[in-house]
Amino acid sequence: MIVGDWDYPKMVYNSLKNEFNIDTVIVDHGESKFKFLNRRIKRLGVFRVIGQLLFKLIALTYIKLSSKERIKEILIQNNIKEVPIDKDKIIETTSINSKDGHNILKELNPDIVIIVTTRILSKKTLELTKAKFINIHSGITPIYRGLHGAYWSLINKDKANCGVTVHLVDEGIDTGGILYQDTITDVLTPNDNFMTYTMLQLAKALPLLKKAIKDIQTNSIKIQEAPNSAGKELFYHPTLWFYAFHRLFRGVK
């Protein structure tokens, strides 16, 4: 596994470890906040990035606090655990795309690599081994690439594509071959919101991820046809004012 350093990868790890032999978990600590913000400003502009930061600082703080019980309920219902990754499995790197990261990956020479909330892997990284790289994406690709696909599908009144994708990883952003997809519309409740959508997506994705791993092990991968969409748009965090407007006047939480 190649993972980011937060709770979501822990949940994926603990859901897989009893069924599969996870040899190593490479923790990629990601780029600095300064580099991240500078790159995001170049892409989206200062005004929009300020709005996103205000959303994370104000709205997301409130959403997290008000969602604790619902998140706990989802995790219990789906037997998802937040316990730490076994320390003896962890190797740390500043970047999987660096020389250090490449050396780690070449030495391990894995058959399957699960990617969980980490940076975009370079073409060189993906070509270091013959491994199949698999990712859980919180959205239906290629329609909702980027971040928070469930939220944006609800904003777009597109419940048919409010879901999750398990896909092969290529050097693009959520553009790899689709292995499995499912929706979360059947489990959405009035108590769900920006934070809990992600947990519902994870609960739907984990069984699909297990199927994908078994498909690779038995050499029976089947790439699904992508939904009819150009998939050119990338989605990010909403701004504070965008989120507030749609929550107050459209009820999208």
Side-chain angles (χ1 to χ4, degrees):
M1 296 179 69
I2 303 174
V3 306
D5 189 15
W6 66 298
D7 289 338
Y8 188 96
K10 298 174 187 176
M11 299 177 197
V12 177
Y13 172 81
N14 283 291
S15 295
L16 296 178
K17 71 174 187 178
N18 292 328
E19 292 186 44
F20 304 98
N21 176 31
I22 302 174
D23 182 76
T24 305
V25 179
I26 303 172
V27 178
D28 183 327
H29 289 286
E31 63 186 340
S32 69
K33 289 183 179 180
F34 176 80
K35 286 184 178 179
F36 172 80
L37 287 173
N38 188 50
R39 179 168 52 81
R40 187 61 60 85
I41 287 170
K42 286 180 180 179
R43 180 183 287 268
L44 302 178
V46 174
F47 184 70
R48 187 172 170 188
V49 171
I50 289 173
Q52 292 174 335
L53 291 173
L54 289 173
F55 165 77
K56 294 176 76 173
L57 181 65
I58 299 170
L60 202 55
T61 299
Y62 167 76
I63 297 167
K64 286 179 180 178
L65 289 173
S66 62
S67 303
K68 283 185 177 181
E69 289 304 312
R70 176 59 177 149
I71 290 174
K72 184 178 178 181
E73 178 183 42
I74 294 168
L75 297 183
I76 291 172
Q77 287 176 346
N78 293 280
N79 194 30
I80 298 172
K81 299 177 181 178
E82 295 181 83
V83 297
I85 296 169
D86 298 313
K87 288 184 178 180
D88 62 325
K89 298 284 187 179
I90 294 175
I91 296 177
E92 299 181 84
T93 184
T94 54
S95 171
I96 192 63
N97 293 327
S98 68
K99 185 176 180 180
D100 174 64
H102 287 175
N103 287 339
I104 292 169
L105 202 54
K106 283 191 291 186
E107 184 175 344
L108 291 170
N109 193 28
D111 297 313
I112 303 172
V113 181
I114 311 300
I115 307 299
V116 189
T117 61
T118 189
R119 70 179 73 233
I120 302 300
L121 273 61
S122 68
K123 184 177 181 181
K124 186 174 181 180
T125 300
L126 293 168
E127 292 176 348
L128 283 173
T129 73
K130 294 182 179 180
K132 297 290 186 183
F133 291 75
I134 317 175
N135 180 53
I136 293 175
H137 173 64
S138 295
I140 296 293
T141 62
I143 303 171
Y144 294 101
R145 298 188 302 120
L147 302 175
H148 311 297
Y151 173 77
W152 289 110
S153 68
L154 295 175
I155 287 293
N156 291 337
K157 298 181 180 180
D158 186 18
K159 284 190 174 183
N161 289 301
C162 181
V164 67
T165 302
V166 174
H167 65 90
L168 295 173
V169 178
D170 60 20
E171 62 268 27
I173 301 176
D174 307 320
T175 54
I178 298 166
L179 301 178
Y180 292 101
Q181 292 182 320
D182 199 358
T183 63
I184 63 168
T185 48
D186 59 322
V187 291
L188 281 175
T189 75
N191 295 323
D192 288 309
N193 58 39
F194 194 89
M195 287 297 298
T196 66
Y197 301 149
T198 302
M199 294 299 103
L200 291 172
Q201 287 170 302
L202 176 61
K204 287 276 189 168
L206 287 170
L208 304 182
L209 178 60
K210 293 175 183 179
K211 285 184 180 180
I213 294 170
K214 291 174 182 176
D215 287 347
I216 293 173
Q217 291 176 330
T218 57
N219 197 29
S220 56
I221 288 180
K222 292 182 180 179
I223 305 298
Q224 296 188 19
E225 184 177 350
N228 185 22
S229 169
K232 292 181 179 179
E233 185 174 3
L234 276 177
F235 292 88
Y236 298 91
H237 284 86
T239 60
L240 177 62
W241 39 88
F242 183 97
Y243 178 81
F245 175 86
H246 286 274
R247 178 161 183 156
L248 289 172
F249 297 104
R250 291 188 50 204
V252 181
K253 298 191 289 184

